[in-house]
Amino acid sequence: KAGVTQTPRYLIKTRGQQVTLSCSPISGHRSVSWYQQTPGQGLQFLFEYFSETQRNKGNFPGRFSGRQFSNSRSEMNVSTLELGDSALYLCASSFFAGDQETQYFGPGTRLLVL
Amino acid sequence: AQTVTQSQPEMSVQEAETVTLSCTYDTSESDYYLFWYKQPPSRQMILVIRQEAYKQQNATENRFSVNFQKAAKSFSLKISDSQLGDAAMYFCAHMNRDDKIIFGKGTRLHILP
């Protein structure tokens, strides 16, 4: 079974630009979550999607948005990039069976904003 | 507000020994989840253990087990028979039901051969 894939793996943008990151979950997983990891702020939750609906959102400005498609693939978009948006963006897909959760992470997309 | 505190930024343990990573959290809710994640160097994040607050029994996953003390709001991770592959950054996290997850700052674990 293929793992969680994230594209692109590395990205360099300049301030003011926008960026779209993609995440393909494990087949059969309907939940996709996004996280931002920086040396200063650590790991922070961005949002979670389940069956194309956003179930939860972290404390990020409206420049950060996301969506999920009918095949469970998810995209996140950051508009008007700022230097502080440089980070590793992680995506995870989850499968729930009763009260058990199985979660797998992708390798991440490393974004550098210049 | 939810907070998660990992008081040990770094720890070292001899291979084959047992090590305990500490985590405390703060919440006003009674129904929540707790997690330990492992992030090896240059490798993907892994969910190690998940604990539901309403379950008194401590979660276990092979050599990994937790000591969940709800009243003390403590959730420590014990790694038995430490192996070189256990070297990683370990994150403790807390999530109130239907709310967002909050992570601690992490503990970097070194395994000494």
Side-chain angles (χ1 to χ4, degrees):
Chain A
K1 184 183 271 192
V4 178
T5 57
Q6 291 187 246
T7 56
R9 292 292 312 279
Y10 303 92
L11 204 48
I12 299 176
K13 291 284 189 179
T14 56
R15 278 181 298 173
Q17 286 187 309
Q18 77 161 12
V19 67
T20 298
L21 311 182
S22 179
C23 172
S24 292
I26 289 173
S27 177
H29 288 200
R30 294 163 64 190
S31 171
V32 173
S33 302
W34 288 90
Y35 307 86
Q36 182 198 63
Q37 187 173 25
T38 61
Q41 299 298 315
L43 263 171
Q44 296 185 90
F45 168 76
L46 279 157
F47 22 65
E48 182 201 1
Y49 287 88
F50 183 87
S51 294
E52 301 179 67
T53 300
Q54 187 181 88
R55 281 211 296 201
N56 237 315
K57 190 179 192 307
N59 296 330
F60 279 81
R63 301 184 297 106
F64 291 80
S65 63
R67 59 178 175 169
Q68 187 179 33
F69 302 94
S70 58
N71 62 357
S72 293
R73 189 178 71 85
S74 177
E75 287 182 349
M76 67 162 279
N77 183 276
V78 188
S79 62
T80 320
L81 283 165
E82 300 177 359
L83 296 180
D85 297 334
S86 294
L88 179 67
Y89 290 89
L90 296 170
C91 161
S93 76
S94 296
F95 176 78
F96 297 89
D99 62 355
Q100 296 298 313
E101 177 187 8
T102 305
Q103 185 180 48
Y104 294 94
F105 282 79
T109 293
R110 190 166 294 279
L111 171 65
L112 177 61
V113 182
L114 301 175
Chain B
Q2 293 170 256
T3 59
V4 177
T5 303
Q6 294 180 249
S7 58
Q8 306 146 315
E10 279 194 77
M11 293 187 73
S12 296
V13 64
Q14 208 75 36
E15 196 176 2
E17 296 293 307
T18 295
V19 63
T20 299
L21 281 57
S22 66
C23 173
T24 58
Y25 58 94
D26 192 22
T27 181
S28 57
E29 303 292 324
S30 59
D31 190 10
Y32 51 86
Y33 302 92
L34 295 160
F35 309 84
W36 276 100
Y37 289 91
K38 170 186 178 182
Q39 188 175 37
S42 304
R43 293 185 62 189
Q44 285 157 235
M45 184 90 73
I46 301 164
L47 172 61
V48 177
I49 266 186
R50 176 180 186 260
Q51 172 87 41
E52 287 135 29
Y54 70 86
K55 288 186 177 178
Q56 293 187 344
Q57 187 173 7
N58 289 323
T60 298
E61 193 66 42
N62 300 317
R63 296 182 296 106
F64 297 84
S65 62
V66 296
N67 183 5
F68 174 43
Q69 302 288 328
K70 191 171 183 179
K73 294 181 182 175
S74 170
F75 184 62
S76 59
L77 175 70
K78 186 172 84 171
I79 306 174
S80 304
D81 185 25
S82 298
Q83 300 175 2
L84 295 178
D86 295 334
M89 196 75 168
Y90 287 83
F91 294 96
C92 177
H94 166 276
M95 183 177 77
N96 289 330
R97 186 177 287 273
D98 298 328
D99 202 347
K100 60 184 181 296
I101 189 169
I102 303 292
F103 294 89
K105 293 295 187 185
T107 295
R108 185 170 300 282
L109 178 65
H110 302 278
I111 309 296
L112 306 173

